[in-house]
Amino acid sequence: DAKTTQPPSMDCAEGRAANLPCNHSTISGNEYVYWYRQIHSQGPQYIIHGLKNNETNEMASLIITEDRKSSTLILPHATLRDTAVYYCIVRVAPWNSGGSNYKLTFGKGTLLTVNP
Amino acid sequence: NAGVMQNPRHLVRRRGQEARLRCSPMKGHSHVYWYRQLPEEGLKFMVYLQKENIIDESGMPKERFSAEFPKEGPSILRIQQVVRGDSAAYFCASSSGTEPGELFFGEGSRLTVL
């Protein structure tokens, strides 16, 4: 799986959009980008994933550059409860590659602090 | 729809004792993963199991640690002869094994070794 690079920490004002960047310059054509977050002391939580196109769900939007070498997770209206470590993970889709290993490898992530 | 259930949530053991951590995956999920998180550190993959089979144990310490996911019942992570360095949060996750392949995590079991 390709490596990812994220800033160690970011701050955001409550009610504003939080834009979390992730670099994955060695991503290959069959690798997906996944985002998870871990609120302090809790289990990680899936947020969103994408391959090429931009994606949006009830939690966030994912913008992937055309060359796929970087992406941005957007929380449109950050709240205090969004304070967490956000992980960007790149992984081959095992159901597409004939493989069977679905594990995710977590890096250090970005600590997002939402301030009142 | 119950999520991933882990128990116990907190476990205290003395050095040399055994710790057993249990994980019940989400309904319909046959893939289980165990991760460890040491204090102030990131999540480290330990082992990935499907029913009755270990698929990937590349993150498991070679000694004292074992995992199983029997045909019936929860997955068990077993740590024999615990040492202080085993004190950590142990997270279990499950997935269906189909697209999009997201993992659903439990709230973790926190092991403290005295």
PDB file of all heavy atoms in Angstrom, chain A residues 97-111:
ATOM      1  N   SER A  97      -8.486  -6.960  -6.747  1.00  0.00           N
ATOM      2  CA  SER A  97      -7.157  -7.439  -7.104  1.00  0.00           C
ATOM      3  C   SER A  97      -7.016  -8.935  -6.926  1.00  0.00           C
ATOM      4  O   SER A  97      -5.940  -9.471  -7.088  1.00  0.00           O
ATOM      5  CB  SER A  97      -6.113  -6.729  -6.246  1.00  0.00           C
ATOM      6  OG  SER A  97      -6.315  -7.027  -4.879  1.00  0.00           O
ATOM      7  N   GLY A  98      -8.110  -9.579  -6.565  1.00  0.00           N
ATOM      8  CA  GLY A  98      -8.034 -11.023  -6.346  1.00  0.00           C
ATOM      9  C   GLY A  98      -7.437 -11.399  -5.019  1.00  0.00           C
ATOM     10  O   GLY A  98      -7.250 -12.572  -4.711  1.00  0.00           O
ATOM     11  N   GLY A  99      -7.132 -10.393  -4.204  1.00  0.00           N
ATOM     12  CA  GLY A  99      -6.545 -10.672  -2.904  1.00  0.00           C
ATOM     13  C   GLY A  99      -7.615 -10.883  -1.855  1.00  0.00           C
ATOM     14  O   GLY A  99      -8.808 -10.810  -2.117  1.00  0.00           O
ATOM     15  N   SER A 100      -7.171 -11.133  -0.651  1.00  0.00           N
ATOM     16  CA  SER A 100      -8.138 -11.370   0.414  1.00  0.00           C
ATOM     17  C   SER A 100      -7.782 -10.636   1.687  1.00  0.00           C
ATOM     18  O   SER A 100      -8.394 -10.872   2.719  1.00  0.00           O
ATOM     19  CB  SER A 100      -8.222 -12.864   0.708  1.00  0.00           C
ATOM     20  OG  SER A 100      -6.968 -13.343   1.152  1.00  0.00           O
ATOM     21  N   ASN A 101      -6.789  -9.744   1.646  1.00  0.00           N
ATOM     22  CA  ASN A 101      -6.363  -9.081   2.868  1.00  0.00           C
ATOM     23  C   ASN A 101      -6.974  -7.694   2.941  1.00  0.00           C
ATOM     24  O   ASN A 101      -6.633  -6.818   2.153  1.00  0.00           O
ATOM     25  CB  ASN A 101      -4.839  -8.996   2.928  1.00  0.00           C
ATOM     26  CG  ASN A 101      -4.351  -8.737   4.344  1.00  0.00           C
ATOM     27  OD1 ASN A 101      -5.033  -8.106   5.130  1.00  0.00           O
ATOM     28  ND2 ASN A 101      -3.168  -9.226   4.656  1.00  0.00           N
ATOM     29  N   TYR A 102      -7.872  -7.524   3.883  1.00  0.00           N
ATOM     30  CA  TYR A 102      -8.622  -6.282   3.998  1.00  0.00           C
ATOM     31  C   TYR A 102      -8.088  -5.372   5.104  1.00  0.00           C
ATOM     32  O   TYR A 102      -8.722  -4.401   5.451  1.00  0.00           O
ATOM     33  CB  TYR A 102     -10.095  -6.595   4.294  1.00  0.00           C
ATOM     34  CG  TYR A 102     -10.824  -7.213   3.127  1.00  0.00           C
ATOM     35  CD1 TYR A 102     -10.600  -8.528   2.754  1.00  0.00           C
ATOM     36  CD2 TYR A 102     -11.729  -6.464   2.402  1.00  0.00           C
ATOM     37  CE1 TYR A 102     -11.255  -9.090   1.685  1.00  0.00           C
ATOM     38  CE2 TYR A 102     -12.408  -7.015   1.328  1.00  0.00           C
ATOM     39  CZ  TYR A 102     -12.164  -8.330   0.979  1.00  0.00           C
ATOM     40  OH  TYR A 102     -12.823  -8.875  -0.083  1.00  0.00           O
ATOM     41  N   LYS A 103      -6.954  -5.696   5.655  1.00  0.00           N
ATOM     42  CA  LYS A 103      -6.478  -4.893   6.790  1.00  0.00           C
ATOM     43  C   LYS A 103      -6.155  -3.473   6.345  1.00  0.00           C
ATOM     44  O   LYS A 103      -5.855  -3.213   5.181  1.00  0.00           O
ATOM     45  CB  LYS A 103      -5.248  -5.520   7.434  1.00  0.00           C
ATOM     46  CG  LYS A 103      -3.966  -5.315   6.637  1.00  0.00           C
ATOM     47  CD  LYS A 103      -2.771  -5.953   7.326  1.00  0.00           C
ATOM     48  CE  LYS A 103      -1.495  -5.643   6.550  1.00  0.00           C
ATOM     49  NZ  LYS A 103      -0.347  -6.434   7.043  1.00  0.00           N
ATOM     50  N   LEU A 104      -6.212  -2.546   7.294  1.00  0.00           N
ATOM     51  CA  LEU A 104      -5.814  -1.158   7.081  1.00  0.00           C
ATOM     52  C   LEU A 104      -4.581  -0.869   7.926  1.00  0.00           C
ATOM     53  O   LEU A 104      -4.489  -1.334   9.054  1.00  0.00           O
ATOM     54  CB  LEU A 104      -6.935  -0.211   7.491  1.00  0.00           C
ATOM     55  CG  LEU A 104      -8.187  -0.206   6.624  1.00  0.00           C
ATOM     56  CD1 LEU A 104      -9.265   0.643   7.273  1.00  0.00           C
ATOM     57  CD2 LEU A 104      -7.865   0.343   5.240  1.00  0.00           C
ATOM     58  N   THR A 105      -3.665  -0.104   7.359  1.00  0.00           N
ATOM     59  CA  THR A 105      -2.465   0.293   8.089  1.00  0.00           C
ATOM     60  C   THR A 105      -2.559   1.776   8.416  1.00  0.00           C
ATOM     61  O   THR A 105      -2.633   2.609   7.510  1.00  0.00           O
ATOM     62  CB  THR A 105      -1.209   0.012   7.255  1.00  0.00           C
ATOM     63  OG1 THR A 105      -1.174  -1.385   6.951  1.00  0.00           O
ATOM     64  CG2 THR A 105       0.046   0.402   8.013  1.00  0.00           C
ATOM     65  N   PHE A 106      -2.564   2.091   9.694  1.00  0.00           N
ATOM     66  CA  PHE A 106      -2.721   3.469  10.151  1.00  0.00           C
ATOM     67  C   PHE A 106      -1.365   4.124  10.338  1.00  0.00           C
ATOM     68  O   PHE A 106      -0.451   3.531  10.897  1.00  0.00           O
ATOM     69  CB  PHE A 106      -3.479   3.513  11.484  1.00  0.00           C
ATOM     70  CG  PHE A 106      -4.934   3.176  11.377  1.00  0.00           C
ATOM     71  CD1 PHE A 106      -5.347   1.855  11.306  1.00  0.00           C
ATOM     72  CD2 PHE A 106      -5.899   4.167  11.340  1.00  0.00           C
ATOM     73  CE1 PHE A 106      -6.688   1.526  11.196  1.00  0.00           C
ATOM     74  CE2 PHE A 106      -7.243   3.862  11.241  1.00  0.00           C
ATOM     75  CZ  PHE A 106      -7.638   2.540  11.163  1.00  0.00           C
ATOM     76  N   GLY A 107      -1.249   5.379   9.877  1.00  0.00           N
ATOM     77  CA  GLY A 107      -0.069   6.195  10.150  1.00  0.00           C
ATOM     78  C   GLY A 107      -0.294   7.016  11.397  1.00  0.00           C
ATOM     79  O   GLY A 107      -1.042   6.609  12.291  1.00  0.00           O
ATOM     80  N   LYS A 108       0.354   8.197  11.440  1.00  0.00           N
ATOM     81  CA  LYS A 108       0.232   9.031  12.639  1.00  0.00           C
ATOM     82  C   LYS A 108      -0.945   9.992  12.561  1.00  0.00           C
ATOM     83  O   LYS A 108      -1.396  10.503  13.577  1.00  0.00           O
ATOM     84  CB  LYS A 108       1.530   9.794  12.862  1.00  0.00           C
ATOM     85  CG  LYS A 108       2.687   8.872  13.145  1.00  0.00           C
ATOM     86  CD  LYS A 108       3.949   9.612  13.564  1.00  0.00           C
ATOM     87  CE  LYS A 108       5.021   8.586  13.907  1.00  0.00           C
ATOM     88  NZ  LYS A 108       6.262   9.171  14.339  1.00  0.00           N
ATOM     89  N   GLY A 109      -1.431  10.268  11.371  1.00  0.00           N
ATOM     90  CA  GLY A 109      -2.610  11.105  11.236  1.00  0.00           C
ATOM     91  C   GLY A 109      -2.386  12.564  11.561  1.00  0.00           C
ATOM     92  O   GLY A 109      -1.268  13.006  11.851  1.00  0.00           O
ATOM     93  N   THR A 110      -3.481  13.310  11.487  1.00  0.00           N
ATOM     94  CA  THR A 110      -3.495  14.748  11.818  1.00  0.00           C
ATOM     95  C   THR A 110      -4.399  14.962  13.012  1.00  0.00           C
ATOM     96  O   THR A 110      -5.572  14.562  12.975  1.00  0.00           O
ATOM     97  CB  THR A 110      -4.029  15.582  10.644  1.00  0.00           C
ATOM     98  OG1 THR A 110      -3.168  15.460   9.525  1.00  0.00           O
ATOM     99  CG2 THR A 110      -4.155  17.055  11.043  1.00  0.00           C
ATOM    100  N   LEU A 111      -3.875  15.593  14.046  1.00  0.00           N
ATOM    101  CA  LEU A 111      -4.717  15.971  15.175  1.00  0.00           C
ATOM    102  C   LEU A 111      -5.417  17.281  14.832  1.00  0.00           C
ATOM    103  O   LEU A 111      -4.770  18.328  14.732  1.00  0.00           O
ATOM    104  CB  LEU A 111      -3.894  16.140  16.445  1.00  0.00           C
ATOM    105  CG  LEU A 111      -4.658  16.712  17.660  1.00  0.00           C
ATOM    106  CD1 LEU A 111      -5.843  15.818  18.028  1.00  0.00           C
ATOM    107  CD2 LEU A 111      -3.727  16.919  18.843  1.00  0.00           C
TER     108      LEU A 111
END
